């Protein structure tokens, strides 16, 4: 099983999780010349039908973010090399690559467009110009490649890469309109939707390390055609109808002309916009922007539309592949890729000039360029530049702007919370000359309000104060317009003609008293850290979750609007139980537990204030390793200045299903105070998992059958023993019913993947014809909401009607539309992957390790899977010595991210001494 591949090259027998953009065609038909046409619909063994044209792809934990490899697709002669040995995530992101608008480097689509092969009749002089331009492009590309390698090794300055000129583009062949001119048969310019005006040329300074950079825009005479000149040369699109029906109907016409499944029409119209049909006719490779479409499928579609004019060197193909590869890297967890890795992946995809493709994508703004200083051991030492100063080697990173913006937004937001936080001041912090009499009376009234006994709602009885808020003489409590909070999550909003509710600002003495009353030393340490910092990182395993609960209870007893957010509803219930156990008499504390998605949507939690920020003073985010970049950016941006944020989680579990590794980067950057729990997980399962966390897989004593190892010889026996454990052994020996036992395996594909296990478990536990899209009432399912890829919601089927499939998801009624069911948003859920199970726990867990899963095992995967059982863990062991080797030697699959660098630069900027006199 190869580990050297880019995300997306996966075996056809494995299937992508709902929302995964990485999909591969099963039984794809070979076109003349060895091409592969878009695949037809495929059915899974469990009765789940894959959407037509959407390939069945790997989303198993062999290829989930940070986990493991998968083999290259059969028939794919150019299997891409993996940057960072990362595979495709089981829960992916929907590509949002936009369609080329009318007149934007698009080939003519009207009846007068150049026919395939018309370039062969070009005048000899034009042919000479094309040959000369080709030679110039090759020379420039070679120079660029050498410059990039020199920058990456530290031999040259990084500015040489950003300022490298692009090769001049030859004139457009006869029969093709100039850029910006209307295509024959296309709508008149006045009929087209107005687009943004082109930006004026501007010169940008050389980028700083770690920051985005783009090449300067210079006159066309220097680096390429001037504005308004003929479009770059590329094979002209095949003649087509002058106009198409609007929306998906027009897309169906183009797909039918390209022998592509018409079932892709709705998704293509949604992704590519109103003029999707014209965009696909002009640039067939834009089909790659549709989730589930792979390069070989887009090549087949383009070949059917363009005929002999279609070739691997088409610039449109290269640009589409750049975006697709970066999207697949994001599916695998990377927020950016090294230039060398992306260049190699393009070469493996038969792009003849990868350097030119990258430079074009950079110049067009399709990707952003970053440079990060190299500080890893074994790298070349800094060299001396022209000024005699040492220039540190850097690595060139390329990324999509939305992930770059999310990463920078997280870094800026975390720095803002640290910089705007003001700790409570004590009496010793008053000015030496003392306040004025009026100010003194105001401060005295405020202090009395803070120390007043709490009411039934959990807030001081004297909380409402019509005088200006003065927190013991400081300005921290005088934030105009900021609503006060109550323990039940309600707020008092400020208006011009109503009483102003003063936000609570506990004094240091009150915080210290709360810490002294904490249930454990680690909880006391966390309370003290939150009292003095706007951002705190807290690490610990399952038992350590009681410490954030103690912090929340203490903060709410002090009058703060404090809430705790978890990754899943299962985690929210466990946090609510901890809060109730810590304060049995305060039922309002149970409302402080929410999920991240429900908090952001307003379904749970305090809601938002007049400025649109979350109306709270303290937010504790548990399961922080599961936060992906875009969700984290939205969450941090929603917090008002001065809010306390505590990120808590187990650093040993798998990272998020989406791009990034926020919690790991935050810990590595040493950006804020860190509190490591000293509360261990007890019992045989806790002892086993604790050893795995430090790289040791040891045998533990389990007198109550808490841990059972079941050896098997092959995948067939693994499935048989798993069904026997869930249906018979565990209920009989431990009293845990089958619906409270969760099966966890490495991937969806294979003879013992989730599909095979779910089919066997359904046959035994809830047999039925699957008359509702493969499901029957009583089936356990895993639902992936479309707006939240990477988040799996467990549920049970209760029925179906014209509206869709009806589920009971942790007590909440959910209706999944028919089209989402058909697209794979719902799967059977007796068996899950470790990524799907992250953030949840069950009374019993059965972990299945078939022999073909050995290559996908890492310490993080084993740690996550083995820690999902509360009372019992059964391990169906078929990988022999591969299991202890993975625990000892393969901690995680690394990801390429920029957040750690951004946070470290923020710290350095803050610590730099001022040069002002």
């Amino acid at each position: 099983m190869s580990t050297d591949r880019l995300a997306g090259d996966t075996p056809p027998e494995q299937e992508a999780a709902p929302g995964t953009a990485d999909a591969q065609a099963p039984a794809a038909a070979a076109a003349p010349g060895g091409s592969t046409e878009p695949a037809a619909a495929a059915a899974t063994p469990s009765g789940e039908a894959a959407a037509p044209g959407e390939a069945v792809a790997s989303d198993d934990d062999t290829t989930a973010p940070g986990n493991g490899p998968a083999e290259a697709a059969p028939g794919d002669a150019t299997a891409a090399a993996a940057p960072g040995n990362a595979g495709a995530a089981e829960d992916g992101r929907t590509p949002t690559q936009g369609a080329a608008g009318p007149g934007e480097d698009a080939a003519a689509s009207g009846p007068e467009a150049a026919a395939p092969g018309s370039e062969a009749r070009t005048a000899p002089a034009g042919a000479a110009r094309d040959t000369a331009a080709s030679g110039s492009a090759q020379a420039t590309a070679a120079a660029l490649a050498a410059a990039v390698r020199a920058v990456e090794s530290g031999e040259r300055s990084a500015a040489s890469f950003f300022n490298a000129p692009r090769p001049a583009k030859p004139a457009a062949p006869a029969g093709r309109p100039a850029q910006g001119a209307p295509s024959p048969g296309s709508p008149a310019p006045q009929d087209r939707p107005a687009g943004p005006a082109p930006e004026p040329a501007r010169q940008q300074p050389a980028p700083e390390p770690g920051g985005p950079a783009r090449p300067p825009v210079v006159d066309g005479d220097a680096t390429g055609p001037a504005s308004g000149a003929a479009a770059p040369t590329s094979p002209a699109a095949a003649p087509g109808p002058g106009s198409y029906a609007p929306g998906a109907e027009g897309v169906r016409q183009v797909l039918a002309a390209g022998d592509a499944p018409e079932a892709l029409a709705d998704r293509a119209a949604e992704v590519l916009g109103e003029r999707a049909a014209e965009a696909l006719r002009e640039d067939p490779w834009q089909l790659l922007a549709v989730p589930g479409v792979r390069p070989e499928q887009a090549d087949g579609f383009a070949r059917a539309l363009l005929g002999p004019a279609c070739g691997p060197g088409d610039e449109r193909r290269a640009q589409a592949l750049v975006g697709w590869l970066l999207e697949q890297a994001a599916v695998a967890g990377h927020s950016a890729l090294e230039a060398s890795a992306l260049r190699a992946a393009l070469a493996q995809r038969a792009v003849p000039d990868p350097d030119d493709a990258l430079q074009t994508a950079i110049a067009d703004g399709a990707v952003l360029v970053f440079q990060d200083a190299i500080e890893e051991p074994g790298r070349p030492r800094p060299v001396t530049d022209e000024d005699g100063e040492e220039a540190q080697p850097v690595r060139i990173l390329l990324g999509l702007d939305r992930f770059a913006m999310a990463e920078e937004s997280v870094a800026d937001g975390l720095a803002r919370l640290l910089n705007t936080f003001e700790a409570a001041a004590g009496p010793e912090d008053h000015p030496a000359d003392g306040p004025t009499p009026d100010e003194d009376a105001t401060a005295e009234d405020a202090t009395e309000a803070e120390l007043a006994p709490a009411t039934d709602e959990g807030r001081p009885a004297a909380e409402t104060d019509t005088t200006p808020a003065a927190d013991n003489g400081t300005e921290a409590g005088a934030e105009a317009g900021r609503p006060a909070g109550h323990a039940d999550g309600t707020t008092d909003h400020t208006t011009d003609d109503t009483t102003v509710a003063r936000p609570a600002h506990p004094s240091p003495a009150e915080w210290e008293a709360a810490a002294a009353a904490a249930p454990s030393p680690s909880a006391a340490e966390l309370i003290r850290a939150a009292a003095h910092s706007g951002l705190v990182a807290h690490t610990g395993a399952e038992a350590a979750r009681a410490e954030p609960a103690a912090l929340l209870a203490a903060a709410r007893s002090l009058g703060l609007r404090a809430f705790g957010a978890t990754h899943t509803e299962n985690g929210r219930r466990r946090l609510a139980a901890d809060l109730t156990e810590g304060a049995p008499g305060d039922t309002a504390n149970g409302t402080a537990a929410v999920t991240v998605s429900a908090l952001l949507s307003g379904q749970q939690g305090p809601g938002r204030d007049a400025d649109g920020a979350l109306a709270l003073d303290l937010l504790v985010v548990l399961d922080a390793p599961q936060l992906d970049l875009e969700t984290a950016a939205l969450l941090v941006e929603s917090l008002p200045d001065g809010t306390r944020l505590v990120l808590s989680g187990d650093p040993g579990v798998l990272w998020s299903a989406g791009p990034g590794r926020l919690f790991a980067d935050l810990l590595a950057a040493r950006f804020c105070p860190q509190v490591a729990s000293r509360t261990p997980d007890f019992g045989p399962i806790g002892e086993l998992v604790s050893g795995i966390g430090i790289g040791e897989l040891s045998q533990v004593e389990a007198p109550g059958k808490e841990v059972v190892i079941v050896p098997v010889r092959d995948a067939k026996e693994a499935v048989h023993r798993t069904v026997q454990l869930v249906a018979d052994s565990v209920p009989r020996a431990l009293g845990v019913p089958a619906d409270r036992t969760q099966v966890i395996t490495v991937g969806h594909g294979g003879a013992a993947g989730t599909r095979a296990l779910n089919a066997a478990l359904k046959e035994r536990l809830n047999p039925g014809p699957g008359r509702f899209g493969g499901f029957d009432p009583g089936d356990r399912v895993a639902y992936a909401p479309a707006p939240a890829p990477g988040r799996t919601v467990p549920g049970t089927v209760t029925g179906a009607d014209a509206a869709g499939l009806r589920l009971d998801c942790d007590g909440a009624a959910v209706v999944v539309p028919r089209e989402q069911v058909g697209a794979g948003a719902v799967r059977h859920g007796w068996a899950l992957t470790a990524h799907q199970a992250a953030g949840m726990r069950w009374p019993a867990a059965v972990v299945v390790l078939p022999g073909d899963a050995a290559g996908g095992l890492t310490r993080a995967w084993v740690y996550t899977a083995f820690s999902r059982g509360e009372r019992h863990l059964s391990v169906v062991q078929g990988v022999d010595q591969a299991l202890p080797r993975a625990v000892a030697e393969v901690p995680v699959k690394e990801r390429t991210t920029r957040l750690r660098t951004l946070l470290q630069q923020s710290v350095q900027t803050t610590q730099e001494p001022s040069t002002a006199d």
Side-chain angles (χ1 to χ4, degrees):
M1 183 173 290
S2 172
T3 61
D4 190 18
R5 61 171 204 87
L6 194 68
D9 296 334
T10 55
E13 69 274 10
Q14 297 171 336
E15 178 177 277
T20 301
D22 181 23
Q24 175 171 312
S35 66
T36 305
E37 298 293 334
T44 68
S46 59
E48 304 172 33
E54 181 176 9
V56 179
S58 169
D59 59 342
D60 55 31
D61 280 2
T62 307
T63 56
N67 279 312
E71 295 178 359
D76 185 358
T78 56
N85 290 337
E90 63 179 273
D91 294 296
R93 296 285 172 185
T94 301
T96 56
Q97 182 179 351
E104 297 179 4
D105 273 345
S109 61
E112 298 179 15
S118 61
E119 292 177 343
R121 295 188 293 272
T122 306
R129 285 194 300 270
D130 289 347
T131 302
S134 176
S136 174
Q138 293 176 358
T140 303
L144 176 63
V148 172
R149 285 189 286 271
V151 169
E152 293 172 339
S153 64
E155 297 176 2
R156 293 181 57 179
S157 168
S160 62
F161 177 81
F162 301 109
N163 297 326
R166 291 180 58 194
K169 298 293 183 182
R176 181 176 179 181
Q179 182 178 3
S183 302
S186 61
Q190 61 269 21
D191 297 333
R192 296 177 177 175
E199 294 183 0
R202 61 184 183 273
Q203 183 75 25
Q204 299 181 359
E208 296 295 331
R214 303 187 186 190
V217 180
V218 296
D219 294 338
D221 293 340
T223 60
S227 176
T233 298
S234 61
S243 61
Y244 298 94
E249 186 58 36
V251 177
R252 286 189 182 91
Q253 299 175 21
V254 181
L255 293 175
D259 296 331
E262 296 183 16
L264 294 173
D266 291 333
R267 284 178 291 168
E270 180 181 356
V271 172
L272 300 178
E274 182 181 354
R275 297 182 60 85
E278 287 81 358
L280 286 174
R281 169 63 70 171
E282 295 168 351
D283 183 357
W285 285 281
Q286 293 224 23
L287 192 65
L288 275 176
V290 179
V293 177
R294 292 181 56 80
E296 52 267 25
Q297 298 170 321
D299 286 342
F301 174 66
R303 188 175 297 104
L305 286 181
L306 304 180
C310 174
D314 194 301
E315 183 178 294
R316 294 168 293 182
R317 178 179 185 268
Q319 296 310 298
L321 281 174
V322 170
W324 183 83
L325 288 168
L326 288 173
E327 289 284 359
Q328 297 308 299
V331 170
H334 304 283
S335 64
L337 284 182
E338 291 196 36
S340 58
L342 189 54
R343 184 170 57 240
L346 287 170
Q348 299 258 346
R349 290 283 176 186
V351 175
D353 195 342
D355 292 298
D356 180 62
L358 291 182
Q359 192 67 17
T360 300
I362 294 167
D364 292 344
V367 299
L368 300 181
V369 188
F370 312 93
Q371 53 176 331
D372 283 353
I374 297 174
E375 300 178 354
E376 300 177 8
R379 294 281 188 173
R381 292 185 175 183
V383 297
T384 303
D385 60 16
E386 297 177 356
D387 299 329
E389 298 180 358
E390 287 190 345
Q392 187 174 16
V394 298
R395 60 174 181 170
I396 304 299
L397 300 179
L398 303 177
L400 297 174
D401 58 354
R402 82 172 190 269
F403 300 126
M405 293 175 62
E407 214 155 20
E408 292 175 1
S409 177
V410 170
D412 292 343
L414 295 180
R416 173 178 60 85
L417 294 177
L418 275 179
N419 295 333
T420 59
F421 174 79
E422 295 184 28
E428 66 277 4
D429 295 321
H430 289 298
D433 53 356
T436 63
D438 290 341
E439 293 173 340
D440 184 65
T442 301
E444 182 178 354
D445 291 341
T447 303
E448 291 176 357
E450 291 173 351
L451 299 179
T455 65
D456 293 339
E457 288 80 9
R459 59 192 174 93
E463 187 173 13
T464 55
D465 187 355
T466 57
T467 61
D471 182 26
N472 290 338
T474 70
E475 298 178 358
E479 297 177 11
R482 184 176 178 183
H486 308 279
D488 59 1
T490 61
T491 58
D492 292 333
H493 294 282
T494 302
T495 61
D496 294 336
D497 55 353
T498 59
T499 300
V500 177
R502 181 187 57 76
H505 275 266
S507 67
E510 291 175 299
W511 279 109
E512 183 57 34
S520 68
S522 294
E525 185 180 357
L526 179 60
I527 293 173
R528 292 188 180 98
H532 296 91
S533 178
L535 178 65
V536 177
H538 171 259
T539 60
E542 184 64 28
R545 294 170 71 95
E547 296 159 17
L551 169 61
L552 287 170
R556 291 173 75 85
S557 69
L558 296 176
L560 294 179
R561 301 165 296 176
F563 289 83
T566 64
H567 182 61
T568 64
E569 177 65 22
N570 180 291
R572 188 203 67 78
R573 288 202 309 269
R574 286 184 283 131
L575 174 60
D578 288 337
L579 288 170
T580 303
E581 182 180 352
D586 192 349
T587 58
N589 271 353
T591 64
V594 300
T595 64
V596 171
S597 59
L599 174 67
L600 292 175
S601 66
Q603 296 175 350
Q604 297 174 353
R608 296 181 182 265
D609 60 22
D611 297 326
L614 292 171
L616 44 73
D617 304 307
L618 167 66
L619 177 64
V620 179
V621 179
L622 287 81
D623 307 319
Q626 273 69 59
L627 272 180
D628 64 272
L629 284 177
E630 292 178 303
T631 302
L634 181 58
L635 183 65
V636 174
E637 289 171 357
S638 299
L639 299 179
D641 291 353
T643 302
R644 292 174 170 90
L645 174 63
V646 177
L647 295 176
S648 175
D650 189 341
V653 301
L654 291 167
W655 293 329
S656 64
R661 52 177 187 187
L662 181 147
F663 195 54
D665 283 339
L666 177 65
L667 295 175
R670 311 294 297 179
F671 183 70
C672 64
Q674 298 181 14
V675 176
S677 173
R678 297 185 295 276
T679 305
D681 284 348
F682 298 101
I685 296 179
E687 182 182 350
L688 175 65
V689 172
S690 297
I692 293 172
I694 59 174
E696 298 177 359
L697 184 65
S698 55
Q699 185 175 357
V700 296
E701 296 294 332
K705 299 187 181 298
E706 294 87 351
V707 179
V708 175
I709 307 298
V710 182
V712 293
R713 294 182 298 273
D714 53 35
K716 183 178 180 180
E717 185 181 1
V719 173
H720 172 74
R721 296 302 300 272
T722 299
V723 173
Q724 185 182 50
L725 284 166
V726 174
D728 297 326
S729 302
V730 173
R732 183 177 63 254
L734 302 173
V736 179
D739 62 352
R740 302 294 294 155
T741 301
Q742 184 60 56
V743 177
I744 301 172
T745 189
V746 176
H748 292 296
T754 61
R755 293 202 304 268
L757 287 167
N758 277 318
L761 288 165
K762 174 176 172 56
E763 182 180 357
R764 176 66 181 274
L765 300 174
N766 194 45
R771 58 185 178 275
F772 301 130
F775 302 95
D776 294 296
D779 280 356
R780 285 178 63 179
V781 296
Y783 170 48
R791 184 169 63 91
T792 297
V793 179
T796 303
V797 176
T798 59
D801 52 29
L805 192 66
R806 296 192 174 275
L807 310 178
D808 178 2
C809 296
D810 288 315
V814 176
V815 179
V816 184
R818 289 175 177 268
E819 56 271 19
Q820 290 189 22
V821 175
V826 182
R827 295 172 178 268
H828 285 101
W830 286 281
L832 301 175
T833 62
H835 259 96
Q836 291 177 316
M840 296 182 281
R841 297 191 90 201
W842 294 265
V846 177
V847 178
V848 184
L849 302 174
D852 58 359
L857 296 179
T858 65
R859 182 187 306 165
W861 191 96
V862 177
Y863 185 97
T864 304
F866 283 21
S867 58
R868 297 309 95 192
E870 295 173 339
R871 295 167 47 194
H872 174 76
L873 169 67
S874 286
V875 181
V876 181
Q877 225 291 36
V879 293
D880 197 27
Q881 293 304 308
L883 179 59
R885 279 199 302 270
V887 170
E889 302 172 7
V890 191
V892 294
K893 292 296 183 182
E894 288 297 333
R895 296 182 177 185
T896 303
T897 65
R898 299 178 50 244
L899 182 58
R900 177 180 178 180
T901 299
L902 293 172
L903 293 175
Q904 289 174 333
Q905 290 175 353
S906 177
V907 171
Q908 294 171 358
T909 301
T910 304
Q911 294 177 347
E912 286 179 358
S914 175
T915 57
D917 295 333

